[in-house]
Amino acid sequence: MTATAPASERTVRVLIVGSGFAGIGAAIMLRARGIGDLVILERAASLGGTWRDNRYPSCACDVESVLYSFSFAPNPDWSRTFAGSAEIHRYLERVATEQEVLPHLRFDETVQEAHWDEEAQRWIVQSTSGPWHAEHLIVATGALSDAVRPDIPGLDTFGGPCFHTAQWDASVPLDGKRVAIIGTGASAIQVIPAIQPRVGQLLVAQRTPAWVLPRHDRAIPAWRRALYRRVPRLQGLARLLQYLRHEVLFLPFRHRWLRRVAARLLGRHLIRQVRDPALRTRLTPRYDIGCKRLLLSDDYYPAMTQPNVTLVDQTITQITPTGFVTADGTTHPVDVLILATGFRPTDPPLAPFIRGRDGRSLADGWRGSPTAYMGTTVTGFPNLALLNGPNTGLGHSSVLMMFEAQFDHLNGLFDLLALSGAQTAEPTPEAQARYTSWIDEGHRSTVWQRGGCQSWYLDRTGRNSTLWPYGVGRFRRMIGQVDPEAYRLAGLAEHRD
Ligand code: N01
């Protein structure tokens, strides 16, 4: 189908927005249950989401690849414990190809607006190529897709090359240059050791020192890959062990005394790798371990000790055409400015443009603090599913397992519709409110709420609307079964599975 296809051809049973892991995985799940009438709209020219976009040097997953892959598509060929972005992207492309998802993809189509047409019992979705009509809308646009530029005066006046890590410009020469990187989060700590040997001077602008833990990344030897190919169950066992390890590692996020133990043990990484006491003090986090996302790196601290690296921990007050000025009045000349300033998952970009039964948008209802029943469905928005929705993020394990649990929930919903003969499903306001209170209660004792830091996990109301407050197993158990009492079913269906 082309971008100019007539309206009748633009009516589908399921429309998915976004072709990252969530969107591709949802399409595979739907095809497996016999729903082939589906289209995935992708604003870029190829699939892959965050792993297509993030191509800064040494970009890699900070969850072991054996766990950061679909359970139904194990990959015995991972080259490293923590695969790089290009390898993860290739994996996703391969899975999409093998599972015959590619014919469903429409590239270079940006969704601008979607609203529920109550009379037609359809979603009407406006994309850059025109309207689509769909019975079900699945939003899989990801939490880390829109780069945030820092709100520093003068940023636009900088005269040299300036780019965000998620929009890395490989054509900009860095060799021998004076480069500044703003931010010391997950992206920055991967970039810094990768470019430090090449640049002349590297200025690292740190606002808050982070907890950085050992990563133990290794090449996976050929014999082990061969073994996994021959005996897939062994890789399944390795995955299970990683899963259980991460579930155990989750406990300190909820229990303070375990955090104290963890901080004492894991704080040694900094002590071992940074000998200079003054630099060590400046790199020492001043909040509870785990409050902000834990960072994993074996080479970040060693890079910070190199003679061509300067830690700048004064606030940047002004960016000028030739560099930046810090609060102590120092001027720092810079040739290239790299923004490792992250994303804003608490303000999903499509939320103001998706309107439900009463014409109000998701953003209108959320008022700065996203909520959804089981992190997936929203009252007043029939047949809408949000993948990686509110409170489905993780601070300790692979988010792909959360996506798969959401797929199970959607499967259950399609079963419920098929069995009941209904056309639409949406959670009751009571079910969503109960669930949200339960989530908030669950967060009360977590480090994210009490750890003494400002993190992007918290929205502008101060509520944690991004993370799931328990272990992954609990989410899978809860959401895997659909409670019919929690859903309002309506209409008579044309389709049957
Ligand atoms: O972004 P971040 P990221 N002046 O928000 C600083 C995922 N990810 O791109 O801590 C000065 O973590 C900010 O400072 P502060 C992963 O989920 C995954 O690094 O707010 N500094 C912080 O240091 C990750 O958590 C992988 O005080 C400013 C940094 O910028 C998420 O992406 C790999 C500033 C932003 O850090 C985001 O990581 C990489 C300002 N005005 C990333 N504004 C995987 O492996 C912001 N900062 C899966």
Side-chain angles (χ1 to χ4, degrees):
M1 196 184 303
T2 65
T4 51
S8 58
E9 285 181 41
R10 296 171 61 100
T11 298
V12 288
R13 184 155 181 212
V14 184
L15 196 69
I16 299 174
V17 188
S19 68
F21 269 94
I24 296 295
I28 294 169
M29 176 276 287
L30 290 166
R31 283 178 49 81
R33 69 169 293 131
I35 300 180
D37 184 13
L38 69 98
V39 159
I40 308 173
L41 300 184
E42 167 56 56
R43 67 181 174 182
S46 61
L47 67 83
T50 196
W51 299 108
R52 174 201 57 226
D53 296 340
N54 280 269
R55 288 306 175 93
Y56 57 78
S58 288
C59 178
C61 187
D62 53 13
V63 174
E64 294 80 358
S65 302
V66 73
L67 205 55
Y68 197 89
S69 35
F70 287 126
S71 63
F72 52 80
N75 176 20
D77 296 321
W78 289 121
S79 66
R80 305 194 65 81
T81 330
F82 296 89
S85 62
E87 191 174 352
I88 299 171
H89 188 218
R90 279 197 302 276
Y91 164 80
L92 187 59
E93 283 186 322
R94 179 173 63 70
V95 173
T97 308
E98 286 173 3
Q99 302 277 343
E100 299 176 20
V101 173
L102 300 188
H104 299 278
L105 280 154
R106 305 287 177 272
F107 293 116
D108 298 311
E109 274 211 42
T110 303
V111 169
Q112 298 162 317
E113 186 263 351
H115 66 269
W116 176 253
D117 181 335
E118 181 68 0
E119 210 179 304
Q121 297 282 289
R122 294 275 190 280
W123 281 98
I124 300 180
V125 178
Q126 191 66 38
S127 88
T128 37
S129 76
W132 287 87
H133 299 245
E135 280 177 44
H136 296 265
L137 178 61
I138 298 181
V139 178
T141 47
L144 307 171
S145 39
D146 283 349
V148 170
R149 288 165 69 84
D151 192 12
I152 303 176
L155 180 57
D156 291 335
T157 68
F158 183 67
C162 171
F163 49 85
H164 192 281
T165 45
Q167 295 143 357
W168 191 267
D169 186 347
S171 70
V172 173
L174 298 179
D175 293 6
K177 301 280 185 209
R178 209 175 148 84
V179 178
I181 181 160
I182 302 181
T184 51
S187 303
I189 66 142
Q190 294 183 339
V191 170
I192 288 165
I195 64 172
Q196 172 273 321
R198 296 169 46 194
V199 302
Q201 274 292 312
L202 182 61
L203 287 85
V204 177
Q206 165 189 276
R207 189 163 66 178
T208 315
W211 281 95
V212 182
L213 315 182
R215 186 164 182 239
H216 303 306
D217 183 29
R218 303 262 182 284
I220 297 178
W223 64 263
R224 191 182 308 167
R225 289 186 254 157
L227 194 62
Y228 284 165
R229 259 194 304 277
R230 283 187 151 215
V231 194
R233 275 181 185 208
L234 277 181
Q235 195 179 23
L237 183 64
R239 180 182 166 96
L240 176 66
L241 291 176
Q242 278 299 350
Y243 163 68
L244 294 174
R245 190 174 76 87
H246 284 272
E247 290 294 83
V248 171
L249 291 178
F250 170 71
L251 296 175
F253 290 90
R254 294 201 67 85
H255 302 286
R256 196 154 182 214
W257 69 273
L258 280 172
R259 284 203 289 284
R260 288 211 193 102
V261 176
R264 192 156 307 160
L265 291 175
L266 298 167
R268 289 199 193 133
H269 187 52
L270 171 62
I271 297 169
R272 261 197 306 268
Q273 292 198 320
V274 179
R275 296 283 172 200
D276 172 1
L279 179 62
R280 191 191 289 164
T281 303
R282 295 165 69 202
L283 289 170
T284 300
R286 291 178 288 273
Y287 57 85
D288 258 17
I289 188 166
C291 183
K292 280 171 178 281
R293 191 177 166 100
L294 289 174
L295 309 183
L296 303 183
S297 177
D298 299 326
D299 49 10
Y300 168 63
Y301 286 143
M304 293 302 292
T305 65
Q306 297 306 306
N308 66 338
V309 177
T310 307
L311 177 66
V312 179
D313 48 4
Q314 289 279 329
T315 306
I316 301 177
T317 50
Q318 180 77 36
I319 292 178
T320 67
T322 55
F324 62 86
V325 182
T326 45
D328 58 356
T330 312
T331 300
H332 303 265
V334 164
D335 300 320
V336 181
L337 190 56
I338 299 170
L339 309 174
T341 43
F343 309 88
R344 193 173 295 119
T346 50
D347 288 313
L350 269 182
F353 308 106
I354 297 180
R355 298 186 176 278
R357 217 159 5 87
D358 63 3
R360 288 181 351 130
S361 71
L362 284 170
D364 291 339
W366 286 344
R367 281 173 283 140
S369 195
T371 59
Y373 176 66
M374 298 286 165
T376 308
T377 52
V378 184
T379 187
F381 293 77
N383 292 0
L384 174 73
L386 307 176
L387 295 177
N388 202 8
N391 296 106
T392 62
L394 293 178
H396 74 289
S397 192
S398 169
V399 78
L400 299 196
M401 292 187 294
M402 302 295 276
F403 295 173
E404 289 193 24
Q406 291 190 287
F407 301 157
D408 288 345
H409 193 75
L410 288 183
N411 238 328
L413 268 181
F414 276 102
D415 285 344
L416 188 62
L417 288 173
L419 277 172
S420 64
Q423 193 173 4
T424 69
E426 64 178 281
T428 65
E430 296 77 21
Q432 189 172 325
R434 254 196 322 274
Y435 178 79
T436 303
S437 309
W438 179 80
I439 285 279
D440 292 347
E441 189 56 41
H443 265 298
R444 212 153 279 175
S445 61
T446 60
V447 65
W448 306 303
Q449 216 69 38
R450 304 169 63 124
C453 76
Q454 254 306 320
S455 77
W456 54 257
Y457 295 147
L458 308 182
D459 58 40
R460 51 193 141 94
T461 72
R463 192 178 153 262
N464 190 328
S465 51
T466 52
L467 293 187
W468 168 248
Y470 297 101
V472 176
R474 191 158 182 179
F475 187 68
R476 290 162 68 169
R477 285 192 298 278
M478 263 187 83
I479 187 175
Q481 296 287 328
V482 173
D483 172 9
E485 298 292 309
Y487 278 94
R488 174 177 175 270
L489 305 177
L492 273 182
E494 288 166 17
H495 293 275
R496 290 287 180 277
D497 286 346

